[in-house]
């Protein structure tokens, strides 16, 4: 079955046929590095991380580029506020970005180019556009003339004449058209600047991505991704300047992820609902965040709530709880599976694998893939219930095969990659830190409760349990002793 991708340009699903057979060249717009990454960034990065992993698992040689915009008005403003250089601001937030991505178990792209490292390529494309009559200079600035590119608006579906008639953009009398966009900005005092044929200045935002994608992926490549908020004007302008410069189709498949809201409201610093990745992973396990971000189809909107994260946490506990049970049933760890190098991933030997591949081949439908994952969790639990005592070879082999499929799916979704005991230990540590609980104090209370029960002082034992429960500490009495966990 062919992979089908919804193309934002054609507004329909299309069979995926890369420019070069067996190879995929993909570009995704990365962050402007002037502040901490928020959950909106996390959704986009997780979505394309999974697409990257899946295409690789399906046997494609994927060259994945995600850029950093490290020169921008916001970076300059933050540097001036902080009394440091723009480079200092960029470096600080690039490092923080990588820390956030590592916490979310992201695979690094093939390349992570920075705009400031590609000034030569940027100037080269701008020069071509001027020579071809698609751009013009004004007082050291260079603008792209949208009227000269006849297909302007084809990605967003906007007609230029309608945009101009109802224009709310600030009118710059130097522009030939209000929607002409800047390719090169003349330098101002105390701003980063580079020499150019039009004087000292710095690049506009849109031209950076055209230059970096062409440098590493060629003038035509397979997939260009980003959030829906980038369709206009950023991606629209990328198409115009790239196709005007090179005279070729810029991108075959445009892929855009949907917006994320906080409690049904648009995320905004002014509303006080601006959530950074760091804040979220302090309160919730990073894999629960990944599961939540993949729980809806990537093109659909997603609403972040504490209840949704609580449900995602329960989901991750179910997966890891099942894997711990499988290890106990098998009396050994489940054989490790590496998704990218696993030839079994793309076979349809099991229903689980076949159904998962069908879901992901249909425009990377992670919501359906997750449903298949939990169906498999229920199936294995049922098998173990039926065969926990006898442990017949037929059941053991079936459990091993299906548990391995959970690991295969997890490798692509970026979850369930830890040994179960490590997952639960890390979760416990996070929760005790979050609630300022000393684990040694809890253990002392458990010992006191044990002594009270041995002395048949059940009232004291119950009071200790209630005291711990009031702190969201849940006790579990087993044959081999009492364990405890924090309520999420």
């Amino acid at each position: 079955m062919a992979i089908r991708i919804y193309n934002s340009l054609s507004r329909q699903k299309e069979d995926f046929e890369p420019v070069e057979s067996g190879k995929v060249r993909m570009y995704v717009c990365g962050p402007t590095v002037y502040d901490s990454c928020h959950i909106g960034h996390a959704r986009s990065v997780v979505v394309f991380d999974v697409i990257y992993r899946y295409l690789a698992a399906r046997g494609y040689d994927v060259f994945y580029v995600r850029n950093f915009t490290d020169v921008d008005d916001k970076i300059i403003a933050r540097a001036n506020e902080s009394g440091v250089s723009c480079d200092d601001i960029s470096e600080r937030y690039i490092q923080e970005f990588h820390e956030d991505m590592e916490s979310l178990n992201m695979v690094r792209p093939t390349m992570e180019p920075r705009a400031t490292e590609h000034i030569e390529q940027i100037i080269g494309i701008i020069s071509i556009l001027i020579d071809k009559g698609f751009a013009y200079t004004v007082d050291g600035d260079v603008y792209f003339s949208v009227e000269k590119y006849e297909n302007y608006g084809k990605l967003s579906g906007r007609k230029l004449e309608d945009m101009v008639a109802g224009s709310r953009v600030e009118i710059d009398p130097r522009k030939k058209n209000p929607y002409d966009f800047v390719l090169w900005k003349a330098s101002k005092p105390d701003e980063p600047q580079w020499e150019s044929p039009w004087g000292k200045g710095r690049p506009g935002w849109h031209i950076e991505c055209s230059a970096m994608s062409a440098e590493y992926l060629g003038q035509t490549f397979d997939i260009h991704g980003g959030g829906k908020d980038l369709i206009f004007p950023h991606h629209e302008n990328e198409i115009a300047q790239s196709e005007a410069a090179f005279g070729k189709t810029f991108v075959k498949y445009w892929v855009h992820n949907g917006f994320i809201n906080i409690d049904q409201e648009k995320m905004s610093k002014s509303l006080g609902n601006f959530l950074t990745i760091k804040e979220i992973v302090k309160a919730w396990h990073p894999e629960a965040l990944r599961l939540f971000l993949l729980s809806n189809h990537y093109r659909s909107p997603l609403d972040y709530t504490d209840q949704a994260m609580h449900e995602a946490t329960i989901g991750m506990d179910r997966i890891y709880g099942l894997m711990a049970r499988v290890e106990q049933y098998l009396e050994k760890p489940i054989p490790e599976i590496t998704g990218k190098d696993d030839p079994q991933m793309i076979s349809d030997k099991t229903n689980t694998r076949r159904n998962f591949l069908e879901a992901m081949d249909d425009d990377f439908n992670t919501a359906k893939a997750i449903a298949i994952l939990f169906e498999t969790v229920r199936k294995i639990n049922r098998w173990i219930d039926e065969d926990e005592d006898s442990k017949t070879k037929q059941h053991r082999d079936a459990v091993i095969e299906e548990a391995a499929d959970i690991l295969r799916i997890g490798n692509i979704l970026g979850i369930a990659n830890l040994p179960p005991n490590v997952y639960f230990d890390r979760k416990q540590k996070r929760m005790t830190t979050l609630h300022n609980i000393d684990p040694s104090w809890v253990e002392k209370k458990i010992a006191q409760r044990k002594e009270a029960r041995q002395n048949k002082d059940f009232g004291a034992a119950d009071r200790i349990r209630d005291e711990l429960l009031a702190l969201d500490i849940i006790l579990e009495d087993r044959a081999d002793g009492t364990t405890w966990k924090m309520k999420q």
Side-chain angles (χ1 to χ4, degrees), residues 46 120 149 176 192 196 344 349 366 384 428 457:
V46 167
E120 180 181 347
Y149 179 69
K176 296 179 180 179
S196 81
Q344 295 298 316
K349 184 176 180 181
T366 57
I384 295 177
Q428 190 90 308
D457 187 354

Side-chain angles (χ1 to χ4, degrees), residues 123-387:
I123 290 173
I125 295 177
I126 295 173
S127 298
I128 293 171
L129 290 170
I130 292 174
D131 290 344
K132 287 188 170 185
F134 287 101
Y136 57 94
T137 61
V138 182
D139 303 326
D141 293 335
V142 183
Y143 291 99
F144 184 90
S145 180
V146 293
E147 291 178 323
K148 294 293 182 69
Y149 179 69
E150 63 180 11
N151 291 319
Y152 191 77
K154 67 179 180 179
L155 179 65
S156 62
R158 304 185 184 201
K159 294 182 179 180
L160 187 58
E161 56 269 25
D162 295 337
M163 287 191 286
V164 173
S167 176
R168 292 185 179 181
V169 299
E170 184 178 350
I171 303 299
D172 183 343
R174 302 179 308 153
K175 292 184 180 181
K176 296 179 180 179
N177 182 296
Y179 278 88
D180 289 351
F181 56 89
V182 68
L183 300 170
W184 186 262
K185 297 182 179 182
S187 63
K188 298 177 182 177
D190 300 321
E191 287 188 355
Q193 55 184 247
W194 290 266
E195 294 286 353
S196 81
W198 321 285
K200 292 182 178 180
R202 58 187 174 91
W205 176 33
H206 313 299
I207 194 65
E208 298 170 2
C209 289
S210 287
M212 287 183 279
S213 62
E215 176 71 10
Y216 298 106
L217 303 176
Q219 295 173 1
T220 301
F221 58 94
D222 300 299
I223 297 173
H224 195 318
K228 284 187 177 179
D229 56 316
L230 297 179
I231 291 176
F232 187 87
H234 185 51
H235 289 166
E236 194 73 75
N237 292 349
E238 279 190 65
I239 292 174
Q241 64 201 10
S242 294
E243 296 190 351
F246 302 127
K248 299 177 181 178
T249 297
F250 178 38
V251 172
K252 287 194 70 176
Y253 306 92
W254 286 90
V255 179
H256 293 96
N257 64 273
F259 296 117
I260 189 162
N261 297 318
I262 310 294
D263 290 321
Q264 298 185 336
E265 289 188 307
K266 182 178 179 180
M267 184 170 60
S268 167
K269 288 184 178 179
S270 62
L271 294 175
N273 65 353
F274 185 87
L275 294 176
T276 66
I277 296 173
K278 276 186 168 49
E279 290 170 333
I280 296 171
V281 299
K282 282 181 181 177
W284 306 95
H285 195 287
E287 289 193 30
L289 178 56
R290 276 191 78 111
L291 185 66
F292 162 72
L293 292 170
L294 297 170
S295 61
N296 275 21
H297 190 280
Y298 74 86
R299 287 188 282 117
S300 300
L302 189 59
D303 189 38
Y304 178 95
T305 64
D306 284 344
Q307 180 60 31
M309 285 302 300
H310 178 66
E311 291 171 1
T313 298
I314 292 173
M316 287 311 309
D317 288 354
R318 285 173 58 199
I319 295 170
Y320 276 107
L322 177 276
M323 301 310 277
R325 192 180 184 199
V326 168
E327 290 187 351
Q328 185 177 19
Y329 171 78
L330 297 175
E331 298 178 342
K332 64 179 181 179
I334 304 165
E336 183 179 359
I337 302 293
T338 56
K340 184 176 179 181
D341 302 319
D342 175 25
Q344 295 298 316
M345 183 64 250
I346 58 173
S347 76
D348 57 1
K349 184 176 180 181
T350 66
N351 284 336
T352 296
R353 216 173 304 158
R354 180 163 52 251
N355 293 338
F356 174 76
L357 292 171
E358 287 178 0
M360 293 297 289
D361 281 352
D362 184 15
D363 195 30
F364 312 111
N365 192 337
T366 57
K368 189 172 181 180
I370 288 170
I372 292 163
L373 178 65
F374 282 111
E375 182 181 324
T376 305
V377 169
R378 288 191 294 272
K379 179 167 55 178
I380 297 174
N381 270 318
R382 187 173 64 251
W383 285 349
I384 295 177
D385 287 341
E386 294 170 353
D387 194 56

